[in-house]
């Protein structure tokens, strides 16, 4: 579920629709949580679908570390890519704002950690990175881990509208990480390694 203080808006012809903050969302806010209404599809299920459904899933899904496609039921599926993303996923099935997000600003992810199946060229944002690759998570996980770590301690200090979707045992783990009792798991845990196809002669 996407943060409730957001709305779906048409951005422009190039980007299409995006998710925009309706109110100020401070750094450290949980902006999205995987919930019970989100659907997970195994590759074998997708293969059996008609091309109409395959195209929809290809457009709106991300791939988890099991190689399954996850379709968000709400407008979380419209969060756009940015090389300067203001939200990052964690190893705990939720995303966090890594900097303050102001009213009218888009919530953005870096698609480099979403296990995309093939490269795509992003919009030019003046960054060194111009293309998103399937193995970006292997290259940039340390950078992303550091960005998450810088704001992770704020989670328990802020009002979290999505707190009810975080199970108590996970919340206890978050508190333990912040207290330094448990090490924060790396975003690298989200990486899906495609198994090589073995051909029999």
């Amino acid at each position: 579920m996407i943060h409730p203080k957001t709305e779906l808006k048409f951005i422009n012809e190039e980007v299409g629709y995006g998710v925009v903050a309706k109110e100020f969302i401070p750094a450290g806010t949980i902006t999205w949580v995987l919930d019970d209404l989100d659907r997970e599809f195994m590759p074998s299920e997708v293969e059996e679908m008609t091309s109409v459904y395959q195209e929809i899933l290809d457009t709106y899904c991300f791939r988890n570390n099991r190689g399954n496609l996850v379709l968000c039921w709400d407008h979380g599926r419209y969060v756009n890519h940015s090389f300067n993303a203001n939200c990052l996923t964690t190893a705990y099935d939720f995303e966090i704002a890594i900097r303050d997000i102001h009213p009218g600003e888009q919530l953005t992810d870096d698609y480099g950690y979403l296990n995309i199946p093939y490269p795509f060229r992003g919009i030019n944002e003046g960054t060194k990175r111009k293309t998103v690759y399937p193995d970006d998570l292997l290259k940039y996980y340390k950078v992303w881990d550091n960005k998450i770590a810088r704001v992770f301690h704020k989670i328990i200090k802020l009002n979290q509208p999505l707190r009810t979707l975080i199970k108590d045992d996970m919340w206890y783990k978050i508190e333990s990480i912040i207290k330094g009792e448990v090490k924060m798991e790396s975003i690298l845990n989200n990486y899906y390694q495609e198994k090589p196809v073995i051909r029999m002669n």
Side-chain angles (χ1 to χ4, degrees):
M1 182 180 289
I2 197 73
H3 193 287
K5 301 301 182 181
T6 61
E7 61 184 340
L8 186 64
K9 274 195 169 181
F10 182 76
I11 307 302
N12 55 45
E13 291 292 340
E14 188 175 14
V15 171
Y17 287 88
V19 177
V20 173
K22 293 195 291 185
E23 297 180 9
F24 178 68
I25 300 175
T29 301
I30 294 170
T31 55
W32 174 84
V33 177
L34 183 71
D35 69 32
D36 291 341
L37 293 181
D38 293 324
R39 284 233 20 219
E40 186 173 340
F41 299 88
M42 295 175 62
S44 57
E45 293 178 90
V46 179
E47 287 174 10
E48 293 176 0
M49 295 178 179
T50 63
S51 60
V52 173
Y53 294 114
Q54 289 177 347
E55 288 173 16
I56 291 170
L57 295 179
D58 184 57
T59 301
Y60 293 111
C61 286
F62 69 89
R63 224 167 22 156
N64 62 21
N65 59 5
R66 295 182 297 277
N68 296 333
L69 294 177
V70 179
L71 178 66
C72 298
W73 67 271
D74 62 1
H75 59 257
R77 65 182 179 269
Y78 290 97
V79 172
N80 287 314
H81 164 77
S82 173
F83 292 114
N84 290 309
N86 52 27
C87 299
L88 282 175
T89 195
T90 66
Y92 307 108
D93 287 333
F94 66 81
E95 293 191 357
I96 186 172
I98 57 167
R99 61 175 181 272
D100 292 343
I101 303 172
H102 298 275
E105 184 180 356
Q106 276 197 80
L107 277 68
T108 53
D109 282 338
D110 192 312
Y111 285 13
Y113 53 69
L114 296 181
N115 293 309
I116 60 169
Y118 42 79
F120 77 90
R121 191 163 180 82
I123 293 171
N124 189 352
E125 300 174 82
T127 57
K128 286 185 178 180
R129 285 175 66 212
K130 307 294 183 188
T131 303
V132 182
Y133 292 99
D135 63 348
D136 275 351
L137 194 44
L138 297 177
K139 298 176 186 174
Y140 302 109
Y141 74 91
K142 289 182 181 177
V143 173
W144 293 328
D145 280 348
N146 287 333
K147 288 182 178 182
I148 294 166
R150 283 200 289 267
V151 298
F152 201 87
H153 68 281
K154 297 182 179 183
I155 292 177
I156 59 174
K157 298 176 182 177
L158 296 170
N159 174 42
Q160 299 288 359
L162 297 176
R163 167 64 181 94
T164 55
L165 297 178
I166 305 287
K167 292 183 171 62
D168 288 340
D169 58 340
M170 176 55 68
W171 194 257
Y172 176 76
K173 181 180 282 189
I174 291 169
E175 291 176 329
S176 298
I177 292 167
I178 293 169
K179 291 175 185 175
E181 298 169 351
V182 177
K183 185 178 179 181
M184 185 182 78
E185 293 177 34
S186 173
I187 191 176
L188 184 60
N189 289 359
N190 296 326
Y191 183 66
Y192 171 64
Q193 178 66 60
E194 191 102 43
K195 292 181 176 65
V197 176
I198 301 174
R199 289 185 169 82
M200 304 299 289
N201 291 334

